[in-house]
Amino acid sequence: MAHSTTPGAAARTAPSTADDTVEPSAGGGGSTRAAKPAKPSGVSRAEKKALKKAANGGTLRTRLKRDRTLILMTLPAVLLVLVFNYIPILGNVVAFQEYDPYISDNGFVAIFHSPWVGFEQFSRIFEDSAFWEAVQNTFVLFSLQLLLFFPIPIVLALLINSVIRPRVRAVSQAILYLPHFFSWVLVITVFQQIFGGAGIIAQTLRQHGYEGFDLMTDPGIFKLLVTAEGVWKDAGWGIIVFLAALASVSPDLYEASAMDGAGRWRRMWHVTLPALRPVIALLLVLRVGDALTVGFEQILLQRDAVGPGAAEVLDTFVWWNGVRNQDFSYAAAAGLIKGVVSLGLVLAANKVAHLMGEQGVYKK
Amino acid sequence: MKASGPKASGRWAAPPRPVWEEEPNKAGLASKGIVLSIACLAVLFPLWIVVVTSLSSKQDISEAGGLVVIPKSITFIAYQELLSGGQVTRATLVSLGVTLVGTVFSMTVSILSAYGLSRIGSVGHRWFLMILLATMFFGAGLIPTYLLVQSLGLTDTYLALILPSAISVFNILVLRAFFMSISPELTDSARIDGAGDWRILWQIVLPLSRAVIAVITLFYAVGYWSAWFNASIYLSDQDMMPLQNVMIQLVQKQEPPVGMSQAIKTGQLSALAVQMAVMVLALLPVAFLSPFVQKHFKKGMLTGAVKG
């Protein structure tokens, strides 16, 4: 394999500054990019500070004055995130309470007055068979999606990439992207109209004297159905990333390998696929890290039709117990379990990516 | 490739093939064509049925025994009924309004913060970026968010459909990456000429980033247009429901639209045509807009994909 591309290079053709955004996500690793005066070894602290100050352009006060517009511009987004993403994190403490929303007029204030119960909610959850059913459904769905969904965009991208007529490419891409922009309500309704009990297939069968069927309410195939809906909606959209990676492969590589006698398939094996490797690894990491989220809206919409036995996943379990049954502490505890395990999965999957020599979601 | 050369018109013709590449064999080309056609048909066929059925008369629909595949005659009666006031008209207006206001709000906040974060080394740059990025790794969870939105008094207001999910950090990062790719010479020279940040953003950065702004606007707009979950948990007033939630009632739960059951019962209108017409209403804006923005998708997604 003479021409392996460097990890990440294939995917990173667009703005070269892109990798800067990856950097700070390294969980606090101080990335003082602006102040990087070639790291001279053996300089005193004070000197370093002075260097940094010079690079940053003066004291904090002058800098604040200089950057006040930028700060002002950034604040609305930061405020929104603080209010709607960070404050609720604190709200997770209700998982350790016997939260009673009616103890105060204001639901959030009620948190301060509700009694603490420690890990009681958690032990209740671990004894709940419905919870374990949801866990099982989540993992089955995740595996199905990984096996049946994940490879399809790659194959489609390779196919479209091999089409050289620009018009054919553009038109088929436009068609394949389209379902990604449809709402889940619409996608499920379309499926229902085709595969449902009154759908077009069942109708046609009945007209010709066969027995009709209803795939939409059959718990036995529900998980396959959900996967199929996902493929219909998003497989086309998934090819974009791969097409971008493929577009960045130098044609010289293909020419050189053709000169060396590599046929069409060998070129795909030795040039095209290595170019896709970093992207595939990255998407796998992302998918595994997100394993416990398997289509909340999609499944919630169909939960009633097939029953919780087949359709309950962790997210819908939280929704059912919290929003519907108003058992907030119980649901919050389940959500907290999911959140913590998910975070662990992201970090672990990323670690594996690094071990494999790939870039992963964030740099080391 | 000259095989189909003379016939092919200019825009459909294949570009010249490099000399080292093999001539494609017929079987290969054919199988490629078949797979691609099947994939495209799988997308288009269901949409075709939906559109055609919504345009068919009651008689045609009952003759076809349900959904219509080949149209016999075209009538707009279902749309007339739906859009002449009543539940669906109101829901469509609600959806349009929320989408419009929400998208403008989201874009404003996102563009400003992306620009604010695009100058590395400004005060707080690192902290602000960290605060935003961290939210990509963990969510607060449904229940605490629900409690917060309730406590803020947002339930039963349209703000509940906009504020809690107003910005996507992913979109901000894509915008920021684009802003940062604009050559600093341009902005620096403007600054030397006395332009402030607002002016630079408005007169230099924005005009240069039209492509990515189109993509991100579409993402936000589609997000608002497709959303139904927030409405389902934060709104209790049926009159406030957006189109997607009404579609759930109408099509999935098979309830006839409020105030329209009469027209269906008297037999002039097929309930199925009404359902299909609602679906068309829901997919129309999206299906119209996305092809125009399509050529920019790759650029937009590319910068985002690396960061996840």
Side-chain angles (χ1 to χ4, degrees):
Chain A
M1 223 170 56
H3 315 290
S4 81
T5 39
T6 50
R12 224 189 306 122
T13 44
S16 55
T17 40
D19 52 350
D20 170 73
T21 24
V22 181
E23 211 174 30
S25 64
S31 56
T32 35
R33 210 180 123 113
K36 221 179 227 173
K39 260 194 191 156
S41 55
V43 229
S44 75
R45 256 222 156 111
E47 272 177 285
K48 261 191 201 164
K49 229 175 177 178
L51 270 173
K52 192 175 164 185
K53 203 162 132 186
N56 279 337
T59 60
L60 185 65
R61 177 177 295 209
T62 53
R63 287 171 62 212
L64 262 177
K65 203 174 166 203
R66 183 194 66 188
D67 295 334
R68 62 176 188 275
T69 325
L70 295 176
I71 297 171
L72 193 72
M73 286 172 163
T74 315
L75 273 182
V78 173
L79 276 179
L80 272 175
V81 167
L82 285 179
V83 172
F84 289 103
N85 294 63
Y86 282 85
I87 293 181
I89 290 177
L90 303 177
N92 270 313
V93 295
V94 298
F96 304 96
Q97 293 183 327
E98 191 62 61
Y99 173 75
D100 177 7
Y102 305 108
I103 228 167
S104 157
D105 296 340
N106 188 313
F108 231 68
V109 175
I111 293 175
F112 299 106
H113 303 292
S114 294
W116 295 89
V117 294
F119 286 90
E120 202 176 282
Q121 305 289 358
F122 293 90
S123 47
R124 246 176 89 204
I125 285 178
F126 289 131
E127 285 161 15
D128 188 347
S129 66
F131 173 76
W132 293 111
E133 217 166 53
V135 170
Q136 197 192 341
N137 283 334
T138 307
F139 276 108
V140 173
L141 261 171
F142 164 69
S143 328
L144 273 179
Q145 284 179 357
L146 207 58
L147 280 175
L148 301 180
F149 186 142
F150 196 80
I152 293 178
I154 303 177
V155 175
L156 271 179
L158 288 174
L159 182 67
I160 286 194
N161 195 52
S162 74
V163 173
I164 56 170
R165 283 161 197 267
R167 271 275 144 148
V168 178
R169 283 179 73 135
V171 170
S172 47
Q173 279 180 57
I175 294 174
L176 293 175
Y177 292 165
L178 202 54
H180 171 75
F181 297 102
F182 296 157
S183 66
W184 272 117
V185 184
L186 191 69
V187 171
I188 288 162
T189 312
V190 166
F191 265 73
Q192 192 173 310
Q193 298 299 347
I194 292 182
F195 299 109
I200 197 160
I201 295 180
Q203 292 278 12
T204 318
L205 281 178
R206 270 191 222 112
Q207 275 177 354
H208 293 85
Y210 296 98
E211 193 126 327
F213 62 86
D214 189 355
L215 296 188
M216 303 300 287
T217 55
D218 186 347
I221 58 143
F222 177 73
K223 294 186 182 70
L224 280 175
L225 180 79
V226 166
T227 313
E229 286 164 359
V231 169
W232 190 77
K233 189 177 193 282
D234 280 328
W237 185 247
I239 65 181
I240 289 187
V241 185
F242 296 111
L243 280 181
L246 288 173
S248 68
V249 184
S250 157
D252 295 352
L253 292 180
Y254 287 109
E255 183 168 359
S257 49
M259 290 299 146
D260 290 346
R264 193 173 290 138
W265 294 102
R266 283 201 78 109
R267 289 204 300 271
M268 181 163 108
W269 187 253
H270 289 302
V271 181
T272 312
L273 286 181
L276 289 184
R277 207 179 106 112
V279 189
I280 295 177
L282 171 76
L283 291 184
L284 262 180
V285 168
L286 283 175
R287 192 64 207 95
V288 171
D290 215 15
L292 299 187
T293 306
V294 281
F296 172 53
E297 291 197 4
Q298 180 193 5
I299 294 167
L300 191 54
L301 282 168
Q302 301 177 84
R303 187 179 178 278
D304 292 342
V306 290
E312 196 86 290
V313 291
L314 284 171
D315 283 329
T316 55
F317 181 83
V318 173
W319 170 83
W320 177 257
N321 285 295
V323 178
R324 289 296 291 270
N325 287 352
Q326 307 274 307
D327 192 350
F328 293 110
S329 288
Y330 193 60
L336 197 57
I337 294 174
K338 191 210 150 192
V340 170
V341 175
S342 281
L343 184 62
L345 278 176
V346 177
L347 299 178
N350 218 43
K351 187 93 194 160
V352 173
H354 288 155
L355 290 178
M356 279 162 53
E358 300 292 353
Q359 193 183 353
V361 187
Y362 54 83
K363 282 185 191 163
K364 274 250 282 258
Chain B
M1 189 179 114
K2 289 280 183 292
S4 58
K7 266 190 294 173
S9 65
R11 308 176 83 178
W12 291 88
R17 194 173 281 273
V19 278
W20 49 266
E21 202 166 321
E22 304 87 347
E23 283 289 314
N25 59 35
K26 285 234 166 65
L29 271 181
S31 56
K32 243 190 243 177
I34 290 171
V35 175
L36 213 52
S37 311
I38 290 177
C40 289
L41 270 181
V43 171
L44 289 181
F45 182 66
L47 304 182
W48 168 257
I49 305 178
V50 167
V51 174
V52 167
T53 308
S54 78
L55 293 170
S56 294
S57 66
K58 176 151 183 147
Q59 199 194 342
D60 288 352
I61 292 175
S62 56
E63 260 174 42
L67 297 154
V68 182
V69 180
I70 301 151
K72 286 206 185 105
S73 59
I74 286 178
T75 161
F76 288 92
I77 180 169
Y79 294 91
Q80 273 170 11
E81 279 294 324
L82 284 181
L83 293 177
S84 61
Q87 194 188 15
V88 175
T89 315
R90 200 168 41 229
T92 312
L93 291 178
V94 168
S95 279
L96 282 175
V98 169
T99 304
L100 210 68
V101 175
T103 307
V104 169
F105 178 70
S106 295
M107 279 312 280
T108 312
V109 175
S110 302
I111 288 177
L112 287 181
S113 65
Y115 180 79
L117 292 171
S118 68
R119 276 242 310 276
I120 296 160
S122 66
V123 181
H125 161 269
R126 242 171 66 214
W127 281 103
F128 290 151
L129 200 60
M130 287 268 300
I131 289 173
L132 293 186
L133 279 170
T135 61
M136 295 178 83
F137 285 86
F138 51 85
L142 173 64
I143 301 304
T145 313
Y146 177 79
L147 293 177
L148 177 78
V149 171
Q150 272 193 331
S151 303
L152 292 175
L154 295 177
T155 32
D156 283 320
T157 68
Y158 288 124
L159 281 180
L161 308 188
I162 295 179
L163 284 182
S165 43
I167 54 167
S168 133
V169 173
F170 175 85
N171 288 347
I172 293 181
L173 290 182
V174 173
L175 282 170
R176 174 177 177 263
F178 250 79
F179 293 170
M180 284 171 50
S181 74
I182 292 170
S183 82
E185 283 88 358
L186 270 175
T187 47
D188 286 349
S189 65
R191 195 159 283 130
I192 290 168
D193 290 344
D197 281 312
W198 294 102
R199 201 189 216 340
I200 292 173
L201 172 62
W202 189 250
Q203 292 193 330
I204 295 176
V205 173
L206 283 191
L208 286 174
S209 342
R210 281 205 195 107
V212 71
I213 285 174
V215 175
I216 303 295
T217 308
L218 181 83
F219 285 178
Y220 276 129
V222 166
Y224 282 112
W225 183 257
S226 306
W228 61 274
F229 181 67
N230 280 354
S232 81
I233 61 173
Y234 296 134
L235 302 185
S236 53
D237 184 355
Q238 283 302 309
D239 286 351
M240 288 177 78
M241 288 293 173
L243 189 60
Q244 305 286 343
N245 299 67
V246 170
M247 189 154 76
I248 297 175
Q249 285 168 17
L250 255 57
V251 191
Q252 289 217 284
K253 302 198 170 139
Q254 298 285 326
E255 296 162 11
V258 178
M260 264 198 63
S261 44
Q262 212 51 38
I264 297 170
K265 270 180 199 151
T266 51
Q268 296 169 349
L269 189 55
S270 156
L272 197 61
V274 172
Q275 293 177 4
M276 296 301 113
V278 176
M279 288 172 71
V280 175
L281 282 183
L283 72 82
L284 214 55
V286 179
F288 255 124
L289 281 182
S290 66
F292 289 108
V293 188
Q294 192 216 337
K295 59 173 184 277
H296 307 305
F297 282 162
K298 203 157 113 184
K299 255 185 179 170
M301 285 304 291
L302 202 58
T303 34
V306 190
K307 265 90 60 189

